[in-house]
């Protein structure tokens, strides 16, 4: 006797899922401003852009990148986007020791965007022309370790720390 099974994946999540996932992510990112490594106004813009990219379903991952006084990246917090299946658990925010980050550290935001997506031209126009984004960034290479997961419905952001 043989049986046939069908497995399907859907990439459906809602604005409500994005809002829920971003609550914990926002708290993670806000800690850098609380530590006075970046302005609150910049964090607000980053959150707006991440939410925009998630709602357009074009974001693969993003990183909060840490640069030393010489402008060399030494660490990042990468958030991988997972949209497959129903996810019913996640971690709370936190777990980043902001006070171990050296004074004078500068932060940057890098986004890995799906340039094959049907909405790419609309997104590029928005990011480059209205938000002042560039296209010269790169993901940090190094050893990564999983730290936390923020999830709602079928949307999950998995946070990794990447070190050189």
């Amino acid at each position: 006797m043989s049986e046939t099974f069908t497995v399907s994946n859907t990439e459906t999540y809602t604005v409500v899922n994005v809002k829920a996932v971003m609550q914990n992510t926002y708290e993670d990112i806000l800690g850098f401003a609380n530590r006075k490594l970046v302005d609150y106004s910049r964090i607000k813009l980053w959150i707006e852009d991440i939410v925009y990219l998630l709602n357009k379903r074009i974001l693969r991952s993003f990183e909060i990148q840490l640069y030393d006084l010489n402008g060399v990246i030494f660490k990042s917090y990468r958030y991988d986007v997972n949209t497959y299946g129903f996810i019913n658990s996640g971690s709370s925010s936190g777990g980043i020791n902001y006070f171990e980050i050296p004074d004078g550290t500068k932060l940057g935001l890098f986004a890995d965007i799906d340039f094959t997506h049907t909405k790419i031209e609309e997104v590029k126009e928005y990011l480059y022309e209205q938000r002042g984004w560039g296209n010269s960034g790169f993901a940090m290479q190094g050893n990564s370790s999983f730290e936390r997961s923020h999830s709602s419905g079928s949307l999950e952001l998995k946070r990794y720390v990447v070190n050189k």
Side-chain angles (χ1 to χ4, degrees):
M1 176 176 187
S2 67
E3 295 181 54
T4 303
F5 295 95
T6 303
V7 176
S8 64
N9 287 330
T10 61
E11 291 189 28
T12 58
Y13 57 87
T14 66
V15 171
V16 172
N17 296 134
V18 171
K19 184 176 179 180
V21 166
M22 287 305 295
Q23 286 176 343
N24 284 334
T25 307
Y26 178 79
E27 291 174 14
D28 288 349
I29 298 170
L30 186 62
F32 295 107
N34 290 339
R35 171 66 170 75
K36 305 211 183 316
L37 297 170
V38 64
D39 292 333
Y40 288 103
S41 59
R42 180 177 263 184
I43 293 295
K44 181 181 181 287
L45 294 173
W46 287 355
I47 296 297
E48 289 171 0
D49 291 343
I50 293 165
V51 168
Y52 171 80
L53 292 168
L54 283 170
N55 284 328
K56 291 295 184 183
R57 290 161 178 71
I58 200 164
L59 186 63
R60 292 180 181 150
S61 68
F62 68 91
E63 293 182 15
I64 305 300
Q65 298 179 332
L66 284 63
Y67 296 86
D68 65 19
L69 294 171
N70 297 316
V72 176
I73 188 171
F74 67 91
K75 185 179 214 172
S76 78
Y77 291 91
R78 186 183 71 230
Y79 292 79
D80 287 343
V81 178
N82 176 18
T83 59
Y84 296 104
F86 183 77
I87 303 161
N88 61 6
S89 66
S91 310
S92 60
S93 61
I96 298 173
N97 184 351
Y98 302 99
F99 293 98
E100 77 177 6
I101 300 170
D103 290 338
T105 297
K106 301 293 182 203
L107 274 66
L109 174 65
F110 168 78
D112 181 11
I113 297 170
D114 180 1
F115 282 93
T116 65
H117 197 282
T118 58
K119 296 181 181 176
I120 190 61
E121 292 307 317
E122 170 190 343
V123 169
K124 282 174 25 181
E125 180 179 332
Y126 174 76
L127 291 178
Y128 298 157
E129 295 178 20
Q130 296 180 34
R131 301 296 279 194
W133 278 51
N135 60 359
S136 61
F138 58 90
M140 181 176 174
Q141 302 298 311
N143 298 320
S144 67
S145 58
F146 174 77
E147 287 195 327
R148 300 210 180 213
S149 169
H150 306 314
S151 62
S152 176
S154 63
L155 175 62
E156 177 183 38
L157 295 179
K158 292 181 175 183
R159 187 180 82 205
Y160 296 83
V161 63
V162 183
N163 290 294
K164 277 196 171 188

